Amino acid sequence: MSTTTSTPIPATLIPGDGIGPEIVDATLAALDALGAPFEWDRQEAGLAGVKSAGDPLPKAALDSIRRTRLALKGPLETPSGGGYRSSNVRLREEFQLYANLRPALTIVPGGRYEKVNLVVVRENLEGLYIGHEHYVQIDNDPHAVAMATGINTRQGSRRALEFAFEYAVANGRKKVTLVHKANIMKALTGIFLETGQQLYESKYKGKFELETVIVDACAMKLVLNPWQFDVIVTTNLFGDIISDLVAGLVGGLGMAPGANIGANAAIFEAVHGSAPDIAGQGKANPVALMLAAAMMLDHVNRQDLATRLRTAIDQTLNVDQVRTGDLGGKASTPEFAQAVVARIKNS
Ligand code: NAD
């Protein structure tokens, strides 16, 4: 067993809604077993925030992240249609979390696609996703027309693209695919394409290959041959959809972690939502959040602990064959967590 002394790192912990508290408990068990240096400040948000403080994003949670600039977050529920605005979107705006990094790596062999290893970088603050929308009433129908405004800026596109390009260089990636729809949304996604091409020509040419693909073709190519991709960078809404597709290539949402990186903070979470259909049943797969915690350890330069965590997850799944139901296994969330903890303690 390896031992390392380390200074405590203050970090905010938001268990979230639905399966959030279950997968957060499982992840904390693994982090405790590792002796991870995080000093947690536990806060509520989402539906849990509404219940405890009358606000889906309580001031206490925001203040905590302002102080720690680092958070591990369970999924937060957002009502569809009416109701409050997404706390996830508000958190991204508040802390200018402009890049969303979503790696997809095959860990469990035997699925439809073997050896997938690609990364989606999603611009996280702009585009059609910002939710500037309204209805127009005609006669007696208040919802006769629906309108949405998408906004992409040169500067906003540039910082997300720069993050993806720097990630590619730092991680020895050979190709970046810029995904757009500039044939139809010529201005809205054309600016992202144009900015990416200019940035590549001026700073990154020769460091990796840049290819550009239209989003619909990209979806088809990902299903036919995901191995042709390395790093994908795209606008907010396309990134939202493409990263779920990519999660499906490596075993589903239970296996997909994500990091929201910005100028003022970094927030780590699973790609999936609160899974209300299985909440409270001990069925949730905690791997996505555990892998997000591994990304958080990388972020604070504890690659040693991140590697031990990833190895323990891999061994639990593939050597011990302990798996939750979404991966065809029978383990409950706490049973899976205990198996990971046992592996960590022996590492
Ligand atoms: P979801 O990701 O919660 O669930 C989709 C499907 O995947 C469900 O069948 C669910 O059971 C399954 N699933 C998801 N995570 C799983 C896991 N860890 N283990 C096993 N199965 C898992 O998507 P949804 O149902 O569309 O959304 C539910 C709520 O979550 C909504 O309110 C939505 O706004 C919110 N949401 C939050 C985030 C976030 O906080 N970052 C992200 C996406 C959705």
Side-chain angles (χ1 to χ4, degrees):
M1 188 186 299
S2 71
T3 50
T4 331
T5 52
S6 48
T7 336
I9 301 171
T12 305
L13 181 72
I14 300 178
D17 300 318
I19 59 171
E22 300 166 64
I23 58 174
V24 162
D25 281 352
T27 303
L28 285 183
L31 289 171
D32 284 350
L34 281 170
F38 302 117
E39 195 175 68
W40 298 111
D41 179 15
R42 195 179 269 258
Q43 297 290 338
E44 301 287 5
L47 213 53
V50 173
K51 283 182 189 146
S52 67
D55 186 345
L57 194 54
K59 183 173 176 303
L62 287 171
D63 286 346
S64 174
I65 303 172
R66 272 188 204 111
R67 182 175 62 81
T68 63
R69 301 164 61 117
L70 186 65
L72 182 67
K73 187 181 85 52
L76 306 179
E77 212 160 304
T78 311
S80 287
Y84 55 81
R85 194 157 171 259
S86 162
S87 306
N88 295 309
V89 173
R90 282 176 60 200
L91 275 173
R92 289 169 193 165
E93 286 173 359
E94 179 70 31
F95 296 102
Q96 288 295 295
L97 306 172
Y98 56 81
N100 194 323
L101 180 64
R102 294 180 163 183
L105 181 71
T106 307
I107 302 179
V108 179
R112 268 182 230 169
Y113 299 91
E114 298 281 3
K115 297 189 179 154
V116 171
N117 180 358
L118 59 92
V119 175
V120 178
V121 177
R122 160 186 175 189
E123 195 289 315
N124 219 15
L125 293 173
E126 302 195 329
L128 270 172
Y129 208 85
I130 52 179
H132 288 180
E133 302 189 294
H134 63 273
Y135 288 109
V136 177
Q137 173 158 0
I138 297 178
D139 298 329
N140 291 329
D141 183 358
H143 287 184
V145 180
M147 296 178 76
T149 309
I151 298 174
N152 279 328
T153 63
R154 170 90 65 205
Q155 192 221 8
S157 300
R158 190 183 162 101
R159 60 185 178 179
L161 286 155
E162 207 153 32
F163 179 89
F165 291 178
E166 286 295 324
Y167 179 92
V169 173
N171 292 278
R173 297 280 182 161
K174 302 279 177 281
K175 184 167 81 169
V176 176
T177 305
L178 189 158
V179 176
H180 63 93
K181 186 77 185 173
N183 54 329
I184 303 296
M185 297 151 94
K186 291 180 193 294
L188 189 66
T189 84
I191 195 173
F192 194 81
L193 172 63
E194 179 188 290
T195 306
Q197 286 171 323
Q198 286 170 356
L199 184 63
Y200 179 73
E201 290 298 322
S202 65
K203 260 180 86 180
Y204 294 95
K205 201 165 181 171
K207 295 184 178 169
F208 53 83
E209 180 198 342
L210 179 71
E211 71 172 2
T212 62
V213 178
I214 293 171
V215 63
D216 39 345
C218 178
M220 177 202 62
K221 286 176 180 215
L222 273 166
V223 172
L224 286 180
N225 174 10
W227 303 279
Q228 68 189 288
F229 294 98
D230 197 350
V231 174
I232 292 174
V233 62
T234 188
T235 48
N236 206 343
L237 180 61
F238 299 159
D240 183 47
I241 297 164
I242 291 285
S243 55
D244 270 33
L245 191 164
V246 164
L249 302 176
V250 296
L253 283 169
M255 304 297 286
N260 298 281
I261 307 283
N264 306 324
I267 300 182
F268 297 82
E269 62 182 348
V271 168
H272 63 72
S274 58
D277 51 337
I278 57 165
Q281 299 172 28
K283 287 183 183 168
N285 182 354
V287 167
L289 193 68
M290 287 182 175
L291 292 173
M295 293 173 83
M296 186 167 168
L297 287 164
D298 282 336
H299 182 76
V300 298
N301 288 320
R302 290 305 305 264
Q303 285 82 1
D304 55 330
L305 298 183
T307 302
R308 280 178 67 205
L309 179 52
R310 290 190 179 105
T311 305
I313 293 168
D314 192 334
Q315 289 172 334
T316 302
L317 291 167
N318 293 317
V319 182
D320 306 335
Q321 302 272 320
V322 176
R323 296 176 187 175
T324 46
D326 57 315
L327 298 177
K330 289 196 163 51
S332 68
T333 314
E335 284 164 355
F336 183 84
Q338 283 319 307
V340 172
V341 165
R343 276 286 171 185
I344 290 170
K345 287 189 170 157
N346 286 323
S347 68

